[in-house]
Amino acid sequence: MSGDGLTAAAHALAVEIRTREAPLAALPSRSGRSEDEQGRAAAIHRVCRGLRASFLRTHAAAVYDRLTAGRTRRLGLTALAEAAAEAFPGLVPTRAELDEELRHTQAEKEGREIDQGIFFREILRLPEAGGHLVDVLRDPTPRARGLLPDFRATGRAELGKVTVERRGDAGHVTFHNESCLNAEDNELIAQFEIAVDLVLLDDGIRVGVLRGGPMTHPRYQGRRIFSAGVNLADLHHGRISFTGFLLQRELGCISKMYRGLSTEGRPDTFPAHGTEKPWVAAVDTFAIGGGAQLLLVMDKVIAAADSYLSLPAAQEGIVPGAANFRLGRLTGDRVARQLVLGGRKIWAGEPDARLLVDEVVDPRAMDRAVEEAVARLAAPAVLANRRMLRLSEEPVDAFRSYMAEFSLAQAQRLYGEDVLDKVGRFTTGPSAAKEVVR
């Protein structure tokens, strides 16, 4: 489509959205609406979302090209969404609208993130635009670039809730969200990605190691915990970012662990693929939800004999990242459904655990097992074979297509009635930050 054609269509969309959404301003906030007012607001959003989806189904490629100057600008998720809000009014929420949403609990929000889900679904569906975006999101973060010289010199970076330390050939990434049982929140995920970048950028590191640190929570005082997954208190209080957490985690942080860093669009880069390294996960006590998702991209998973894994997506009410895409490949369809749909908990000693775990050891032997795994994975031929295995297991276009559907499905799930009904169960404070016994 010509630039004039896109401009005209975008102007028509902006006028239509502005006109149709105008009555929302006269309504109370979502929690204060009557049943009739809730119905009217839902109808308005339904129509406007249909208009946005229809516009993007026709113009998504041209929209992305305009925002990225023909795919020469490399914009991350948040920057791309903000650019779209400015260049195409009414297409996605503005920063001001999202800031207003952050003032409310999840149940009181207007649901503007669903409009972002529509946008990213249509961009990611496109092989060229979506493929470009998937590649862009594997660029190293600016913060990691800034920290890299000091990290190379000292071999350690204290990021807050995450630390990264070079020990011999290994880069040890450790979660330290102690009071919340290493539950994931916006801050932890941002720091986690920086740590992953540092491991991949440091030439002195050959293998990444992921582990949870010791807890201060009274119930698990002094014990290591791998991860309790998403912080449910933050989720239900509206403090989990759709782009910065739920999308960035999959398309940025975890994608980098699995595929390595991008070549940042440089056609003359040799080799043509980005920097990647093998990863070891050391599972102490439990890997719940997002913690279990991380295991699906690891090259070696070592679990303490008294630990367990679970993916309680049905209880939490959201989609468990890319687990639905990857899990069945490892466990088979039946076990995958038992985990995701039925909330099954798999203990390290069960036979089915060997579908997800490579080695089960006495908790006191974890450190030695990790060292031995690092030594094996540091072998010269590991990287080439790792890459070839990945190309066979998960073509990037298949991942892109899954993430397109995930973008909208997850945004809609954030506002599912079952999710919103859980808001009252959670209060702020460490004692309620995560329900881990299910």
Side-chain angles (χ1 to χ4, degrees):
M1 166 170 283
S2 69
D4 289 344
L6 176 61
T7 299
H11 176 72
L13 175 70
V15 171
E16 187 76 2
I17 294 292
R18 185 168 60 248
T19 300
R20 290 184 177 274
E21 285 196 343
L24 288 175
L27 296 177
S29 63
R30 182 168 173 168
S31 61
R33 291 171 187 167
S34 67
E35 186 175 343
D36 177 66
E37 288 169 334
Q38 290 173 353
R40 280 190 279 149
I44 290 169
H45 285 305
R46 185 165 53 251
V47 170
C48 289
R49 286 165 186 158
L51 291 169
R52 294 181 180 106
S54 178
F55 171 83
L56 284 166
R57 190 57 62 93
T58 302
H59 303 295
V63 166
Y64 189 77
D65 277 353
R66 179 171 293 187
L67 296 175
T68 61
R71 302 196 294 278
T72 61
R73 296 177 65 204
R74 298 177 71 80
L75 300 178
L77 293 168
T78 300
L80 184 65
E82 290 180 353
E86 182 175 350
F88 300 94
L91 184 58
V92 292
T94 64
R95 178 190 286 269
E97 288 173 327
L98 291 173
D99 287 345
E100 174 62 25
E101 291 277 77
L102 285 174
R103 296 177 56 216
H104 303 286
T105 65
Q106 198 70 18
E108 294 172 330
K109 290 183 179 182
E110 202 64 57
R112 302 283 182 186
E113 291 162 317
I114 296 175
D115 302 322
Q116 291 183 317
I118 294 169
F119 174 74
F120 285 112
R121 177 182 185 267
E122 296 305 324
I123 297 298
L124 287 166
R125 286 181 68 250
L126 302 172
E128 290 188 358
H132 181 265
L133 180 58
V134 168
D135 184 68
V136 166
L137 295 174
R138 292 192 295 113
D139 290 350
T141 57
R143 177 82 192 283
R145 289 190 182 283
L147 292 172
L148 184 59
D150 187 60
F151 180 72
R152 280 175 169 157
T154 66
R156 186 174 179 85
E158 299 274 359
L159 303 174
K161 297 179 180 180
V162 181
T163 62
V164 56
E165 181 180 15
R166 187 195 318 112
R167 300 182 214 158
D169 286 331
H172 289 256
V173 175
T174 308
F175 295 139
H176 290 290
N177 203 5
E178 291 93 350
S179 63
C180 298
L181 308 182
N182 281 337
E184 297 177 0
D185 53 31
N186 288 351
E187 188 177 14
L188 183 143
I189 288 301
Q191 295 168 2
F192 183 22
E193 184 165 2
I194 294 165
V196 169
D197 286 347
L198 290 173
V199 169
L200 294 174
L201 289 168
D202 186 353
D203 294 336
I205 292 174
R206 302 183 70 176
V207 180
V209 176
L210 183 61
R211 196 172 185 184
M215 296 294 99
T216 59
H217 190 285
R219 184 170 181 180
Y220 296 92
Q221 182 73 39
R223 290 182 61 184
R224 285 182 179 267
I225 285 178
F226 186 72
S227 172
V230 65
N231 187 314
L232 293 180
D234 277 8
L235 173 64
H236 296 298
H237 282 86
R239 295 193 292 262
I240 293 296
S241 167
F242 175 65
T243 57
F245 183 124
L246 296 170
L247 291 188
Q248 186 66 35
R249 180 181 185 276
E250 306 299 327
L251 288 160
C253 187
I254 297 178
S255 188
K256 291 175 181 180
M257 297 180 83
Y258 189 56
R259 291 186 168 80
L261 298 175
S262 73
T263 58
E264 299 185 78
R266 299 191 302 271
D268 57 342
T269 299
F270 182 84
H273 53 85
T275 302
E276 66 178 282
K277 293 171 185 177
W279 285 86
V280 177
V283 180
D284 300 277
T285 310
F286 52 70
I288 296 174
Q293 294 167 31
L294 291 170
L295 307 184
L296 306 182
V297 300
M298 295 291 164
D299 300 285
K300 175 85 172 184
V301 178
I302 303 166
D306 59 353
S307 65
Y308 70 84
L309 321 172
S310 70
L311 275 163
Q315 293 94 320
E316 293 177 353
I318 58 175
V319 180
N324 296 336
F325 177 56
R326 296 177 172 132
L327 187 61
R329 186 174 71 231
L330 300 176
T331 66
D333 291 347
R334 299 323 315 161
V335 173
R337 282 168 169 75
Q338 291 164 18
L339 282 161
V340 175
L341 305 182
R344 179 183 173 188
K345 182 187 296 185
I346 297 182
W347 289 90
E350 293 182 48
D352 281 347
R354 299 314 297 263
L355 301 170
L356 296 164
V357 172
D358 298 290
E359 187 176 356
V360 178
V361 302
D362 185 288
R364 295 166 295 185
M366 287 289 283
D367 290 346
R368 183 175 68 253
V370 169
E371 291 174 3
E372 291 172 353
V374 168
R376 285 192 293 271
L377 290 174
V382 165
L383 281 181
N385 283 287
R386 177 189 196 267
R387 179 169 179 266
M388 300 310 291
L389 283 169
R390 188 186 69 252
L391 290 173
S392 172
E393 292 169 349
E394 189 179 301
V396 68
D397 267 357
F399 172 68
R400 172 189 56 75
S401 296
Y402 174 88
M403 289 305 302
E405 298 308 313
F406 171 83
S407 297
L408 181 54
Q410 188 73 297
Q412 291 175 317
R413 276 281 76 219
L414 290 176
Y415 297 93
E417 289 301 321
D418 57 318
V419 174
L420 302 182
D421 285 345
K422 295 175 184 175
V423 172
R425 301 184 193 179
F426 296 90
T427 57
T428 56
S431 63
K434 182 72 184 183
E435 177 190 5
V436 294
V437 181
R438 301 181 187 277

